[in-house]
Amino acid sequence: MQRITSPRHEHRPGVMVLRRHTALLLALLLALVACDRSATPAAPSKPASEPQEAPGQPEPPAPTPQATKPAPIPFEIVGEVAGLIDPVRLDGLQGKRAANRSLRRVCFVLESARQGGHPPAAIIDAAQEALEVSGTARAEAVKASLIRNLDILEKLGCLEPAGMAKLETSNAPTITRGPYAGDIASVDHIIPRSVCEELDERLYNLEFMPSRMNSGKGNRVTERKVQIGRRWNRLGLLSDAGLQAVELAADRG
């Protein structure tokens, strides 16, 4: 009896070959994909130690530049100013208006120092400290007077080279600005010497003024001068007898 062969068994070798080819093709595709992945460079990772910026956190303020310290005031400047404003020396001066020359010279020294970068107020403070009078009413009044007189000289144009040359030798400078140009900047006593002689050599009682204006006002004592006298009396810068003389002069007109 003849065996009947099933068609499934007749084509088995061809099926095995096809499966093998398919497996090889899949293996080749997988190898190609793996090679492509390995050839692509990986993105560099951020170092773990790198600081992370907190969202919404304000930026740190910029460093503040340090202020330049002023240069120290030369000892000789402080010494000369101290000698010119020394209350003991001024109180011992002899002669009328002897302190006028001191005022002119000290203004020259202070302005020269200012042009060299040293503030007049700091120089006066150092000089009064050397004299051991810092903080007293007289020291404060003298300091205010010197600063005011420097301002007056500036406005009158007396701190130009020609005016400085006059002040250096304690002489009166010539005014170069304003309606009194050409006039002399004389030293005026706020409260006249003829009214109160005790204030003759007090620097705080001296003030620069055009000579024509100074001559025109005479020895009149105005209400402003009475108020100044009363303030000085309260501060101990004017005696009771001196204040009484000022008030009497104002009453006489």
Side-chain angles (χ1 to χ4, degrees):
M1 183 174 178
Q2 187 178 4
R3 183 181 293 178
I4 301 175
T5 305
S6 170
R8 179 166 57 88
H9 296 288
E10 289 178 357
H11 299 285
R12 186 175 183 83
V15 172
M16 294 297 293
V17 171
L18 180 61
R19 287 179 178 175
R20 185 177 298 172
H21 288 173
T22 302
L24 289 174
L25 182 61
L26 288 174
L28 180 61
L29 289 174
L30 289 174
L32 289 175
V33 171
C35 289
D36 183 64
R37 288 180 178 176
S38 63
T40 303
S45 60
K46 204 170 187 179
S49 59
E50 184 175 339
Q52 301 295 322
E53 209 173 279
Q57 185 175 0
E59 295 184 2
T64 304
Q66 293 184 352
T68 305
K69 292 183 179 179
I73 304 169
F75 176 78
E76 57 271 18
I77 295 177
V78 175
E80 182 170 6
V81 171
L84 290 166
I85 66 174
D86 183 359
V88 176
R89 184 188 71 85
L90 290 169
D91 291 348
L93 290 176
Q94 300 295 322
K96 296 179 181 180
R97 303 175 181 84
N100 292 12
R101 294 180 61 82
S102 295
L103 176 63
R104 297 187 188 109
R105 175 68 189 184
V106 74
C107 284
F108 165 78
V109 176
L110 291 173
E111 175 59 19
S112 298
R114 186 194 67 79
Q115 293 177 10
H118 303 292
I123 299 172
I124 298 168
D125 287 341
Q128 291 179 338
E129 184 176 349
L131 293 168
E132 298 183 350
V133 297
S134 299
T136 63
R138 182 167 178 174
E140 294 298 322
V142 167
K143 179 180 177 180
S145 173
L146 293 176
I147 299 298
R148 183 177 68 254
N149 276 297
L150 282 173
D151 183 60
I152 292 172
L153 289 173
E154 170 66 24
K155 291 176 179 176
L156 294 177
C158 295
L159 298 180
E160 303 298 329
M164 288 290 285
K166 288 286 189 179
L167 292 169
E168 184 177 11
T169 56
S170 300
N171 290 309
T174 300
I175 298 170
T176 62
R177 297 178 189 166
Y180 291 95
D183 201 358
I184 297 298
S186 63
V187 177
D188 172 51
H189 287 72
I190 298 174
I191 294 179
R193 179 185 184 278
S194 60
V195 173
C196 186
E197 190 173 346
E198 72 176 82
L199 293 175
D200 185 26
E201 312 301 349
R202 301 291 195 270
L203 287 180
Y204 55 84
N205 189 44
L206 304 181
E207 191 171 67
F208 284 104
M209 178 181 292
S211 59
R212 281 180 289 166
M213 182 184 294
N214 193 4
S215 300
K217 76 178 186 61
N219 294 329
R220 293 191 304 273
V221 176
T222 62
E223 180 60 27
R224 168 182 171 267
K225 295 182 180 182
V226 172
Q227 295 303 321
I228 291 174
R230 288 172 179 168
R231 184 174 75 250
W232 288 348
N233 177 256
R234 290 194 300 271
L235 294 172
L237 303 177
L238 177 62
S239 67
D240 292 340
L243 176 59
Q244 184 178 7
V246 172
E247 293 174 335
L248 288 174
D251 291 338
R252 291 195 299 265

